[in-house]
Amino acid sequence: MNKTPTIAVAGATGAVGREMLEILEQRKFPHGTIKALASPRSAGQQLPYRGGTLTVEPLTHESLRGVDIALFSAGSSISKEFAPAAGKAGCVIVDNSSAFRMSDGVPLTIPEVNPESIRNLHASASLPNVIANPNCSTIILLMALTPIRRAFGVERTIVSTYQAASGAGAKGMDELEAQTRDDLAGKVVRPGIETGGVFHEPYAFNLFSHNTAVDPVTGLNVEESKVILETRKIWNDPSAALSATCIRVPVRRAHAESVNVTLKTPATTAQVREVLSKFPGVRVVDDRAANLFPTPLKASGKDDVLVGRIRPDASRLPASATAADYDQPAIAFDLFICGDQLRKGAALNAVQIAEMLL
Ligand SMILES: NC(=O)c1ccc[n+]([C@@H]2O[C@H](COP(=O)([O-])OP(=O)(O)OC[C@H]3O[C@@H](n4cnc5c(N)ncnc54)[C@H](OP(=O)(O)O)[C@@H]3O)[C@@H](O)[C@H]2O)c1
């Protein structure tokens, strides 16, 4: 890989794309030419970058010619239309959509968790040079679970998510803000989807099952399936046992997750806290005395995944458990984690992958 590659951000005007430009700038990513690509609607728009501006160009096959690394965040159908051909022409694609995550031979990569996966960049004959960025809830979950798994093994995980509007892009955030204003003004709030919006339930002062389709057989929505299937691929463990419930909450930005994890080998709370605090990209926020723990606001705009409420699963202890029992090694733990899904859940993870390529 050229040390100052030509790079492109496809979907540069979107919630993830704008974050990518900010992170490339903040991390002083070394590159030559940089292209900001989006739909023809945005052609000519100016985006701030490194003290100047980038002029948005329409994404076309031609616009990707000569690009060494393309960071894609323009949705699955756009990735399917442009990424395979660009990859075959030698451009490395880091794709934020779900289009290729489960495709054989396509690395599904979290740099702190499975950096070795990008060694197989050419394993897929039909999709060479394509690397997939995992789903945002999966990334945030595995940043907390992987150090625990490495130290003590993981037998089973139950996760419930509290997902922010920003996970549905710029339109999702706009819908939450507009409906909140309407509600406070005393107007009746209807589901956004009825007027060309995103969500199938009123969003202001509400929460609801994730806005992806529900499988009539399994009862899982698409987000829940992604968390389960992607975890198995990333951990290279087809039998990893997980249960997920994914919920959209009226938070502007950053996802939260409540996690119950059963270990293979018992550990004390102090040991779990220690392995978490040593893992790059994780910050323990766990102040019981002050009742201060991770929140979406604390995680917003930050790179680290915040982990707190670290405690033994009380259901596994006898009802007569004493304080001393809580210091003994336990086989299951509860955690509460928060991560900015526009950063570590999407743009930051993609830029970290690009840094690994260099
Ligand atoms: N939001 C998240 O937290 C998150 C996390 C992980 C992954 N992702 C994935 O990242 C992708 C983008 O998400 P987002 O939240 O950033 O969405 P978004 O805010 O709606 O942005 C979508 C971007 O795609 C561009 N686009 C749309 N149609 C296009 C076309 N025909 N040709 C070229 N560009 C086109 C848009 O350009 P215009 O402005 O010109 O329309 C915009 O730049 C999705 O695949 C999403 O699943 C999102």
Side-chain angles (χ1 to χ4, degrees), residues 214-227:
V214 181
D215 184 301
V217 175
T218 63
L220 294 170
N221 61 43
V222 172
E223 186 81 354
E224 291 157 356
S225 295
K226 286 177 183 172
V227 170

Side-chain angles (χ1 to χ4, degrees), residues 145-154 263-267 271-272 274-276:
L145 281 186
T146 298
I148 294 173
R149 180 172 182 259
R150 285 184 189 163
F152 314 111
V154 165
L263 311 179
K264 289 200 159 129
T265 314
Q271 287 171 323
V272 171
E274 191 187 353
V275 297
L276 283 165

